[in-house]
Amino acid sequence: MDERLTVAMPKGRIFSDALDLLKEAGLKLPRELAQDSRKLRVEAPVEDLSFLLVKPVDVPTCVEHGVADLGVVGKDVLMEEERDVYELLDLQISPCRLSLAGKPDWQPVLNPKVATKYPRIANRWFREQGQQVEVICLNGSVELAPLTGLADRIVDIVSTGQTLQENGLVELQEITRVTSRLIANRASYRLKSRRIDKLSERLARVVTGEGVLR
Ligand code: PRP
């Protein structure tokens, strides 16, 4: 049985933290597994691993469809995408929060417009708050929305707070805390459970500070 594992890695904010974690777990990885690499599939023959470098939002898609056995992805993307995958481990890397933000002088209006990359999460959260809003879906530079009048408020990731600050916006309310997770394809988890458990355990030991398992 083919025991090689394919791992979907998210290019962008999480990538270097995820790579550091894999290295800390003692995995011997090729140099070409790097954020700035144009190569989209990287083999790590020593570990019998194959990596796919994809957009964060595409990690759960690759894992659900089984082109990757495993994936590293932020809880924000996982919550938004609602894919049928196993969440194996909280890797506790790239911590940030998903928050409601806006201009400091914002006055309540009826049916405010909220710009976000997370329409499902935002719609659900506002519904739970009993607030009616119009959600406007953007794919990036969400902080521009309140500055240009496209939206009254935003729901977006806040990490250092620098993007909000540099655009004269303030965090109004935290919606949820976010860290990155290890996810698995359901069939892979059954068919390759030995290898997946071993890799997951190696990562878990780094996360909990128990030391490297080789
Ligand atoms: C996220 C988020 C904010 C920024 C927040 O974007 O959408 O724009 O990071 O980080 P900060 O609080 O440290 O300033 P990301 O860099 O993931 O890229 P994207 O906008 O292309 O999704």
Side-chain angles (χ1 to χ4, degrees), residues 12-13 117-118 139-143 156-164:
R13 207 168 44 83
K117 287 182 279 191
Y118 305 92
N139 289 309
S141 304
V142 178
E143 291 82 357
D156 200 17
I157 290 295
V158 182
S159 178
T160 60
Q162 194 183 343
T163 311
L164 288 183

Side-chain angles (χ1 to χ4, degrees), residues 13 94-101 143 154-164 170-173 176 178:
R13 207 168 44 83
S94 311
C96 56
R97 48 205 186 269
L98 190 64
S99 294
L100 178 68
E143 291 82 357
I154 62 171
V155 167
D156 200 17
I157 290 295
V158 182
S159 178
T160 60
Q162 194 183 343
T163 311
L164 288 183
V170 292
E171 190 173 359
L172 300 168
Q173 200 170 340
T176 185
V178 172

Side-chain angles (χ1 to χ4, degrees), residues 15 19 23 27-39 42-46 51 53:
F15 187 87
L19 192 59
K23 287 178 181 166
L27 295 180
K28 291 174 190 63
L29 302 172
R31 274 222 195 105
E32 55 187 348
L33 185 61
Q35 173 89 282
D36 52 4
S37 168
R38 301 303 297 169
K39 205 162 174 189
V42 176
E43 306 298 328
V46 181
F51 290 91
L53 276 63

